[in-house]
Amino acid sequence: MMSETGHAEPTSFFRRYIFSTDHKVIGKQYLFLGMVMALLGGLMAYVMRWQLAWPGSQVPGAALLSEPAVVDGVVTPPFYNALVTMHGTIMVFFVAMPILLGAFGNYLVPLMIGARDMAFPRLNMLSFWILFTASSVMMISFFVPGGAAAGGWTAYPPLSARPLLSGVNWGMNLWILGLALEFSAFLLGGVNLLTTVVTMRAPGMTMWRLPMMVWMQLTAAIIFMLSVGPTIAGAILLLLDRVVGTGFFVPQQGGDPLLWQHLFWFFGHPEVYVILLPGIGVLAEVLPAFSRKPIFAYKMILYSIFVAGVLSFLVWAHHMFVSGMNPTLVMPFSVATILISVPFTIVIFALIATLWGGSIQLPTAMLYALGTLTMFIIGGITGIFNGSAPVDIYIHDTYFVVAHFHYTLFPTVLLGGLAGFYFWFPKMFGRMLNETLGKIHFWLTLISFNAVFLPMFALGIGGHVRRIYDPSTYDLLKPLHGITTFVTIATVCLLLSQIPFLINIVVSLTRGERAAANPWRANTLEWSTASPPPHENFVGDPVVMRGPYEYSVPGADQDWLPQMQDADTATTR
């Protein structure tokens, strides 16, 4: 199964760090790109929240922006609409996917399966630079006449189909171009990852010995490749409507705006699981390592994920209950949506059962894993309300949906991503992060995250719709203004909570304790090589002897058994 990729170690700076074909360097490139985009997306949220809490006032720091985005430090309505659109777009497509799929997938999968690199290293490099171009296109769109896209991150026609309606021309065209490039990058990356896992596993690494992280990356890649096609087709049609004057989505020309919603959500809902699964993969690696227990129900977790993946293609219309769809179609989509909670409940219970009776250790990575697990439960439970058509019609497009969405994605993307970052940072950079700063970062982030998004459920139930520029103009919303202000203050605290994290990275990279090969005493193959791993990852060819989660095995002379360790040296009996 395993094959040699055989590319020589680069010697020049550009080949080693810029146009590298080494999966480890490319993984770090995805990571840094995702973190930069996260910072930009977070600053957009700050400006939006300030406008909502104190409408028409000067935003601190807005002096750095020029007209027509802001006038005398005050955010203008068109720029606010652009911020709403671009915040959602950036956080989903240019933060979550680069970090969870690009960074963790590229860096970890070859190491975890015992390969020396990805199957197609040059294609891997090309994927990253296409994504970098896509990110640049998105940010450049802020500086073209009319500004960035402003029709919402779902780009519903007719707002997105005719420049006259949103006041944005080239910004929307660049938005479509940027997404097309992003999709292309991850399609290439998905093909590469799939080929790597199927053809380059080390001897003994059967499919049932794969670490959960590899399974989740593999499943996410397959779901993405199967779901993104209709949205790419829809994006081409939308671009033709805007540039050539066709009318695929324009009612006056015989088109149907709802067609876009079908094409978008057929991809949009599975996309949630594309992002979600790598986060679950992180939990499946961190929880057993710090519980010193095997993962509970390995195969049942995988079967549940496969069922959820299939169901994810059958529930897209629950995003469209208020679109005027035939009522006879509502109930099947509602039932399918609620059914999808069953496999995820099995996964959550299996992860909780992994903790039961374990020798729990609480380094920062484990704290983030536990935080992810508990916060995701809130997101899952509130999703049932959105899946029920009668309730969804009432709360549709309110802050209840915003809160649910963030309780679903924020834990898996940011909390789960941070769990993975703290867990694999020693492997990636050869240094240990400071645990004190890490725990300060965790508690500040967890508390401020809940302070931001928990009150949004109350805002939504109170009728506060999203995507409005000035809530003070609505008498209905005036009694809720105190909550809005509180949420904004908490948002500022959430952003400031990341300062210890940034300090920790800088200090640890320069003066942190040097990491051993296996500082967490974990089993998977990446911990059997040096930190950071050498070029082509391993000295010699790894041979896999066992599964990845054999912790606290009776009779063993230590409470972990690396996948490369054979039975003769594993026990004292």
mmCIF file of all heavy atoms in Angstrom, residues 376-411:
data_model
loop_
_atom_site.group_PDB
_atom_site.id
_atom_site.type_symbol
_atom_site.label_atom_id
_atom_site.label_comp_id
_atom_site.label_asym_id
_atom_site.label_seq_id
_atom_site.Cartn_x
_atom_site.Cartn_y
_atom_site.Cartn_z
ATOM 1 N N PHE A 376 -21.264 22.013 21.945
ATOM 2 C CA PHE A 376 -21.902 21.418 20.768
ATOM 3 C C PHE A 376 -23.246 20.787 21.127
ATOM 4 O O PHE A 376 -24.168 20.766 20.303
ATOM 5 C CB PHE A 376 -20.978 20.380 20.136
ATOM 6 C CG PHE A 376 -21.568 19.722 18.922
ATOM 7 C CD1 PHE A 376 -21.739 20.439 17.741
ATOM 8 C CD2 PHE A 376 -21.970 18.396 18.955
ATOM 9 C CE1 PHE A 376 -22.301 19.838 16.622
ATOM 10 C CE2 PHE A 376 -22.525 17.790 17.839
ATOM 11 C CZ PHE A 376 -22.691 18.514 16.670
ATOM 12 N N ILE A 377 -23.359 20.289 22.349
ATOM 13 C CA ILE A 377 -24.648 19.724 22.781
ATOM 14 C C ILE A 377 -25.733 20.800 22.740
ATOM 15 O O ILE A 377 -26.864 20.553 22.302
ATOM 16 C CB ILE A 377 -24.515 19.109 24.192
ATOM 17 C CG1 ILE A 377 -23.638 17.847 24.111
ATOM 18 C CG2 ILE A 377 -25.879 18.776 24.771
ATOM 19 C CD1 ILE A 377 -23.297 17.249 25.463
ATOM 20 N N ILE A 378 -25.404 22.021 23.174
ATOM 21 C CA ILE A 378 -26.382 23.117 23.107
ATOM 22 C C ILE A 378 -26.762 23.396 21.652
ATOM 23 O O ILE A 378 -27.936 23.564 21.318
ATOM 24 C CB ILE A 378 -25.810 24.383 23.766
ATOM 25 C CG1 ILE A 378 -25.544 24.125 25.255
ATOM 26 C CG2 ILE A 378 -26.760 25.575 23.596
ATOM 27 C CD1 ILE A 378 -24.873 25.285 25.972
ATOM 28 N N GLY A 379 -25.770 23.411 20.774
ATOM 29 C CA GLY A 379 -26.053 23.636 19.361
ATOM 30 C C GLY A 379 -26.931 22.539 18.778
ATOM 31 O O GLY A 379 -27.848 22.814 17.997
ATOM 32 N N GLY A 380 -26.672 21.299 19.171
ATOM 33 C CA GLY A 380 -27.462 20.192 18.645
ATOM 34 C C GLY A 380 -28.897 20.222 19.115
ATOM 35 O O GLY A 380 -29.833 20.021 18.331
ATOM 36 N N ILE A 381 -29.086 20.500 20.394
ATOM 37 C CA ILE A 381 -30.458 20.526 20.937
ATOM 38 C C ILE A 381 -31.273 21.655 20.307
ATOM 39 O O ILE A 381 -32.438 21.466 19.929
ATOM 40 C CB ILE A 381 -30.406 20.669 22.477
ATOM 41 C CG1 ILE A 381 -29.847 19.382 23.090
ATOM 42 C CG2 ILE A 381 -31.786 20.984 23.034
ATOM 43 C CD1 ILE A 381 -29.610 19.464 24.583
ATOM 44 N N THR A 382 -30.686 22.825 20.170
ATOM 45 C CA THR A 382 -31.432 23.943 19.586
ATOM 46 C C THR A 382 -31.691 23.731 18.095
ATOM 47 O O THR A 382 -32.613 24.330 17.531
ATOM 48 C CB THR A 382 -30.689 25.265 19.789
ATOM 49 O OG1 THR A 382 -29.340 25.129 19.291
ATOM 50 C CG2 THR A 382 -30.630 25.637 21.254
ATOM 51 N N GLY A 383 -30.920 22.852 17.454
ATOM 52 C CA GLY A 383 -31.178 22.538 16.057
ATOM 53 C C GLY A 383 -32.488 21.808 15.859
ATOM 54 O O GLY A 383 -33.109 21.911 14.789
ATOM 55 N N ILE A 384 -32.933 21.069 16.877
ATOM 56 C CA ILE A 384 -34.218 20.370 16.765
ATOM 57 C C ILE A 384 -35.353 21.368 16.568
ATOM 58 O O ILE A 384 -36.297 21.126 15.809
ATOM 59 C CB ILE A 384 -34.442 19.499 18.021
ATOM 60 C CG1 ILE A 384 -33.375 18.397 18.065
ATOM 61 C CG2 ILE A 384 -35.843 18.889 18.020
ATOM 62 C CD1 ILE A 384 -33.406 17.557 19.315
ATOM 63 N N PHE A 385 -35.269 22.525 17.234
ATOM 64 C CA PHE A 385 -36.320 23.552 17.065
ATOM 65 C C PHE A 385 -36.334 24.066 15.625
ATOM 66 O O PHE A 385 -37.395 24.305 15.050
ATOM 67 C CB PHE A 385 -36.084 24.708 18.035
ATOM 68 C CG PHE A 385 -36.171 24.304 19.476
ATOM 69 C CD1 PHE A 385 -35.024 24.151 20.244
ATOM 70 C CD2 PHE A 385 -37.395 24.053 20.071
ATOM 71 C CE1 PHE A 385 -35.097 23.755 21.569
ATOM 72 C CE2 PHE A 385 -37.489 23.659 21.400
ATOM 73 C CZ PHE A 385 -36.334 23.511 22.149
ATOM 74 N N ASN A 386 -35.152 24.236 15.056
ATOM 75 C CA ASN A 386 -35.096 24.712 13.676
ATOM 76 C C ASN A 386 -35.575 23.651 12.701
ATOM 77 O O ASN A 386 -36.064 23.974 11.613
ATOM 78 C CB ASN A 386 -33.663 25.125 13.309
ATOM 79 C CG ASN A 386 -33.219 26.368 14.040
ATOM 80 O OD1 ASN A 386 -33.864 27.396 13.948
ATOM 81 N ND2 ASN A 386 -32.125 26.271 14.778
ATOM 82 N N GLY A 387 -35.444 22.389 13.057
ATOM 83 C CA GLY A 387 -35.907 21.325 12.177
ATOM 84 C C GLY A 387 -37.407 21.148 12.200
ATOM 85 O O GLY A 387 -37.984 20.584 11.272
ATOM 86 N N SER A 388 -38.056 21.617 13.263
ATOM 87 C CA SER A 388 -39.515 21.529 13.366
ATOM 88 C C SER A 388 -40.130 22.696 12.598
ATOM 89 O O SER A 388 -39.951 23.860 12.961
ATOM 90 C CB SER A 388 -39.930 21.571 14.838
ATOM 91 O OG SER A 388 -41.330 21.700 14.931
ATOM 92 N N ALA A 389 -40.883 22.395 11.550
ATOM 93 C CA ALA A 389 -41.390 23.455 10.677
ATOM 94 C C ALA A 389 -42.232 24.504 11.406
ATOM 95 O O ALA A 389 -42.033 25.715 11.183
ATOM 96 C CB ALA A 389 -42.174 22.830 9.526
ATOM 97 N N PRO A 390 -43.179 24.119 12.287
ATOM 98 C CA PRO A 390 -43.984 25.164 12.944
ATOM 99 C C PRO A 390 -43.131 26.135 13.760
ATOM 100 O O PRO A 390 -43.408 27.333 13.788
ATOM 101 C CB PRO A 390 -44.939 24.361 13.836
ATOM 102 C CG PRO A 390 -44.994 23.007 13.214
ATOM 103 C CD PRO A 390 -43.640 22.771 12.650
ATOM 104 N N VAL A 391 -42.103 25.611 14.436
ATOM 105 C CA VAL A 391 -41.245 26.494 15.245
ATOM 106 C C VAL A 391 -40.316 27.298 14.340
ATOM 107 O O VAL A 391 -40.097 28.495 14.555
ATOM 108 C CB VAL A 391 -40.413 25.654 16.250
ATOM 109 C CG1 VAL A 391 -39.532 26.571 17.107
ATOM 110 C CG2 VAL A 391 -41.317 24.820 17.114
ATOM 111 N N ASP A 392 -39.799 26.638 13.315
ATOM 112 C CA ASP A 392 -38.848 27.320 12.429
ATOM 113 C C ASP A 392 -39.492 28.511 11.730
ATOM 114 O O ASP A 392 -38.829 29.542 11.523
ATOM 115 C CB ASP A 392 -38.324 26.328 11.387
ATOM 116 C CG ASP A 392 -37.286 26.970 10.464
ATOM 117 O OD1 ASP A 392 -36.146 27.146 10.897
ATOM 118 O OD2 ASP A 392 -37.654 27.320 9.326
ATOM 119 N N ILE A 393 -40.767 28.376 11.368
ATOM 120 C CA ILE A 393 -41.430 29.499 10.693
ATOM 121 C C ILE A 393 -41.460 30.727 11.609
ATOM 122 O O ILE A 393 -41.308 31.861 11.153
ATOM 123 C CB ILE A 393 -42.850 29.072 10.264
ATOM 124 C CG1 ILE A 393 -42.737 28.066 9.106
ATOM 125 C CG2 ILE A 393 -43.694 30.275 9.845
ATOM 126 C CD1 ILE A 393 -44.040 27.403 8.738
ATOM 127 N N TYR A 394 -41.613 30.508 12.911
ATOM 128 C CA TYR A 394 -41.650 31.625 13.858
ATOM 129 C C TYR A 394 -40.262 32.237 14.070
ATOM 130 O O TYR A 394 -40.110 33.464 14.115
ATOM 131 C CB TYR A 394 -42.224 31.154 15.200
ATOM 132 C CG TYR A 394 -42.199 32.225 16.264
ATOM 133 C CD1 TYR A 394 -43.102 33.284 16.238
ATOM 134 C CD2 TYR A 394 -41.256 32.183 17.296
ATOM 135 C CE1 TYR A 394 -43.075 34.279 17.200
ATOM 136 C CE2 TYR A 394 -41.214 33.172 18.263
ATOM 137 C CZ TYR A 394 -42.125 34.211 18.208
ATOM 138 O OH TYR A 394 -42.089 35.199 19.167
ATOM 139 N N ILE A 395 -39.246 31.387 14.185
ATOM 140 C CA ILE A 395 -37.918 31.910 14.531
ATOM 141 C C ILE A 395 -37.030 32.118 13.310
ATOM 142 O O ILE A 395 -35.871 32.511 13.446
ATOM 143 C CB ILE A 395 -37.185 30.973 15.516
ATOM 144 C CG1 ILE A 395 -37.012 29.580 14.892
ATOM 145 C CG2 ILE A 395 -37.929 30.901 16.823
ATOM 146 C CD1 ILE A 395 -36.246 28.613 15.790
ATOM 147 N N HIS A 396 -37.577 31.887 12.121
ATOM 148 C CA HIS A 396 -36.756 31.996 10.921
ATOM 149 C C HIS A 396 -36.160 33.396 10.786
ATOM 150 O O HIS A 396 -36.847 34.402 10.983
ATOM 151 C CB HIS A 396 -37.605 31.681 9.683
ATOM 152 C CG HIS A 396 -36.825 31.671 8.408
ATOM 153 N ND1 HIS A 396 -36.152 30.546 7.969
ATOM 154 C CD2 HIS A 396 -36.578 32.634 7.483
ATOM 155 C CE1 HIS A 396 -35.540 30.815 6.834
ATOM 156 N NE2 HIS A 396 -35.771 32.082 6.508
ATOM 157 N N ASP A 397 -34.867 33.431 10.427
ATOM 158 C CA ASP A 397 -34.163 34.695 10.182
ATOM 159 C C ASP A 397 -34.074 35.588 11.417
ATOM 160 O O ASP A 397 -33.897 36.806 11.303
ATOM 161 C CB ASP A 397 -34.812 35.479 9.036
ATOM 162 C CG ASP A 397 -33.829 35.703 7.902
ATOM 163 O OD1 ASP A 397 -32.646 35.377 8.069
ATOM 164 O OD2 ASP A 397 -34.243 36.207 6.848
ATOM 165 N N THR A 398 -34.226 35.007 12.592
ATOM 166 C CA THR A 398 -34.043 35.778 13.823
ATOM 167 C C THR A 398 -32.686 35.440 14.441
ATOM 168 O O THR A 398 -31.965 34.557 13.958
ATOM 169 C CB THR A 398 -35.133 35.466 14.862
ATOM 170 O OG1 THR A 398 -34.934 34.119 15.335
ATOM 171 C CG2 THR A 398 -36.526 35.590 14.244
ATOM 172 N N TYR A 399 -32.384 36.108 15.552
ATOM 173 C CA TYR A 399 -31.122 35.833 16.238
ATOM 174 C C TYR A 399 -31.098 34.458 16.897
ATOM 175 O O TYR A 399 -30.038 33.994 17.316
ATOM 176 C CB TYR A 399 -30.821 36.941 17.252
ATOM 177 C CG TYR A 399 -29.976 38.027 16.622
ATOM 178 C CD1 TYR A 399 -30.571 39.137 16.021
ATOM 179 C CD2 TYR A 399 -28.597 37.921 16.574
ATOM 180 C CE1 TYR A 399 -29.808 40.114 15.411
ATOM 181 C CE2 TYR A 399 -27.830 38.885 15.973
ATOM 182 C CZ TYR A 399 -28.434 39.972 15.387
ATOM 183 O OH TYR A 399 -27.660 40.925 14.771
ATOM 184 N N PHE A 400 -32.270 33.803 17.003
ATOM 185 C CA PHE A 400 -32.251 32.424 17.493
ATOM 186 C C PHE A 400 -31.435 31.557 16.531
ATOM 187 O O PHE A 400 -30.637 30.714 16.956
ATOM 188 C CB PHE A 400 -33.689 31.895 17.603
ATOM 189 C CG PHE A 400 -33.791 30.549 18.271
ATOM 190 C CD1 PHE A 400 -34.086 30.463 19.635
ATOM 191 C CD2 PHE A 400 -33.568 29.370 17.566
ATOM 192 C CE1 PHE A 400 -34.168 29.222 20.263
ATOM 193 C CE2 PHE A 400 -33.641 28.133 18.191
ATOM 194 C CZ PHE A 400 -33.942 28.054 19.541
ATOM 195 N N VAL A 401 -31.636 31.770 15.231
ATOM 196 C CA VAL A 401 -30.888 31.007 14.231
ATOM 197 C C VAL A 401 -29.401 31.354 14.301
ATOM 198 O O VAL A 401 -28.541 30.471 14.190
ATOM 199 C CB VAL A 401 -31.452 31.274 12.824
ATOM 200 C CG1 VAL A 401 -30.630 30.541 11.768
ATOM 201 C CG2 VAL A 401 -32.910 30.864 12.742
ATOM 202 N N VAL A 402 -29.106 32.631 14.492
ATOM 203 C CA VAL A 402 -27.700 33.048 14.615
ATOM 204 C C VAL A 402 -27.043 32.344 15.810
ATOM 205 O O VAL A 402 -25.923 31.834 15.714
ATOM 206 C CB VAL A 402 -27.603 34.576 14.772
ATOM 207 C CG1 VAL A 402 -26.147 35.008 14.985
ATOM 208 C CG2 VAL A 402 -28.191 35.281 13.557
ATOM 209 N N ALA A 403 -27.782 32.310 16.934
ATOM 210 C CA ALA A 403 -27.231 31.666 18.135
ATOM 211 C C ALA A 403 -27.028 30.171 17.902
ATOM 212 O O ALA A 403 -25.967 29.618 18.231
ATOM 213 C CB ALA A 403 -28.170 31.900 19.312
ATOM 214 N N HIS A 404 -28.037 29.509 17.330
ATOM 215 C CA HIS A 404 -27.911 28.061 17.064
ATOM 216 C C HIS A 404 -26.734 27.782 16.131
ATOM 217 O O HIS A 404 -25.937 26.873 16.384
ATOM 218 C CB HIS A 404 -29.204 27.542 16.434
ATOM 219 C CG HIS A 404 -29.008 26.268 15.672
ATOM 220 N ND1 HIS A 404 -28.714 25.061 16.279
ATOM 221 C CD2 HIS A 404 -29.017 26.012 14.323
ATOM 222 C CE1 HIS A 404 -28.562 24.132 15.356
ATOM 223 N NE2 HIS A 404 -28.727 24.676 14.161
ATOM 224 N N PHE A 405 -26.643 28.557 15.075
ATOM 225 C CA PHE A 405 -25.576 28.345 14.090
ATOM 226 C C PHE A 405 -24.204 28.476 14.743
ATOM 227 O O PHE A 405 -23.298 27.666 14.515
ATOM 228 C CB PHE A 405 -25.756 29.362 12.962
ATOM 229 C CG PHE A 405 -24.848 29.138 11.792
ATOM 230 C CD1 PHE A 405 -25.017 28.041 10.967
ATOM 231 C CD2 PHE A 405 -23.824 30.027 11.494
ATOM 232 C CE1 PHE A 405 -24.186 27.828 9.879
ATOM 233 C CE2 PHE A 405 -22.998 29.825 10.410
ATOM 234 C CZ PHE A 405 -23.170 28.721 9.604
ATOM 235 N N HIS A 406 -24.052 29.502 15.583
ATOM 236 C CA HIS A 406 -22.751 29.699 16.227
ATOM 237 C C HIS A 406 -22.490 28.654 17.309
ATOM 238 O O HIS A 406 -21.339 28.289 17.535
ATOM 239 C CB HIS A 406 -22.658 31.111 16.800
ATOM 240 C CG HIS A 406 -22.399 32.152 15.745
ATOM 241 N ND1 HIS A 406 -23.399 32.701 14.989
ATOM 242 C CD2 HIS A 406 -21.249 32.721 15.295
ATOM 243 C CE1 HIS A 406 -22.879 33.576 14.125
ATOM 244 N NE2 HIS A 406 -21.580 33.606 14.290
ATOM 245 N N TYR A 407 -23.544 28.163 17.991
ATOM 246 C CA TYR A 407 -23.329 27.091 18.966
ATOM 247 C C TYR A 407 -23.009 25.766 18.274
ATOM 248 O O TYR A 407 -22.505 24.833 18.892
ATOM 249 C CB TYR A 407 -24.550 26.918 19.872
ATOM 250 C CG TYR A 407 -24.408 27.677 21.172
ATOM 251 C CD1 TYR A 407 -25.043 28.894 21.361
ATOM 252 C CD2 TYR A 407 -23.617 27.182 22.205
ATOM 253 C CE1 TYR A 407 -24.909 29.601 22.534
ATOM 254 C CE2 TYR A 407 -23.469 27.871 23.389
ATOM 255 C CZ TYR A 407 -24.121 29.086 23.553
ATOM 256 O OH TYR A 407 -23.965 29.775 24.732
ATOM 257 N N THR A 408 -23.307 25.662 16.978
ATOM 258 C CA THR A 408 -22.959 24.456 16.231
ATOM 259 C C THR A 408 -21.551 24.554 15.655
ATOM 260 O O THR A 408 -20.751 23.625 15.778
ATOM 261 C CB THR A 408 -23.964 24.237 15.083
ATOM 262 O OG1 THR A 408 -25.287 24.186 15.632
ATOM 263 C CG2 THR A 408 -23.666 22.946 14.343
ATOM 264 N N LEU A 409 -21.251 25.693 15.041
ATOM 265 C CA LEU A 409 -19.976 25.815 14.337
ATOM 266 C C LEU A 409 -18.848 26.362 15.204
ATOM 267 O O LEU A 409 -17.698 25.953 15.051
ATOM 268 C CB LEU A 409 -20.150 26.681 13.090
ATOM 269 C CG LEU A 409 -20.880 26.001 11.929
ATOM 270 C CD1 LEU A 409 -20.773 26.834 10.671
ATOM 271 C CD2 LEU A 409 -20.310 24.612 11.660
ATOM 272 N N PHE A 410 -19.154 27.332 16.083
ATOM 273 C CA PHE A 410 -18.075 27.899 16.902
ATOM 274 C C PHE A 410 -17.387 26.819 17.745
ATOM 275 O O PHE A 410 -16.146 26.767 17.795
ATOM 276 C CB PHE A 410 -18.620 29.024 17.787
ATOM 277 C CG PHE A 410 -17.558 29.847 18.446
ATOM 278 C CD1 PHE A 410 -17.197 31.097 17.933
ATOM 279 C CD2 PHE A 410 -16.895 29.404 19.582
ATOM 280 C CE1 PHE A 410 -16.208 31.866 18.541
ATOM 281 C CE2 PHE A 410 -15.910 30.160 20.191
ATOM 282 C CZ PHE A 410 -15.558 31.393 19.677
ATOM 283 N N PRO A 411 -18.132 25.923 18.424
ATOM 284 C CA PRO A 411 -17.434 24.885 19.202
ATOM 285 C C PRO A 411 -16.555 23.998 18.337
ATOM 286 O O PRO A 411 -15.412 23.699 18.710
ATOM 287 C CB PRO A 411 -18.586 24.089 19.836
ATOM 288 C CG PRO A 411 -19.717 25.032 19.871
ATOM 289 C CD PRO A 411 -19.593 25.888 18.639
#
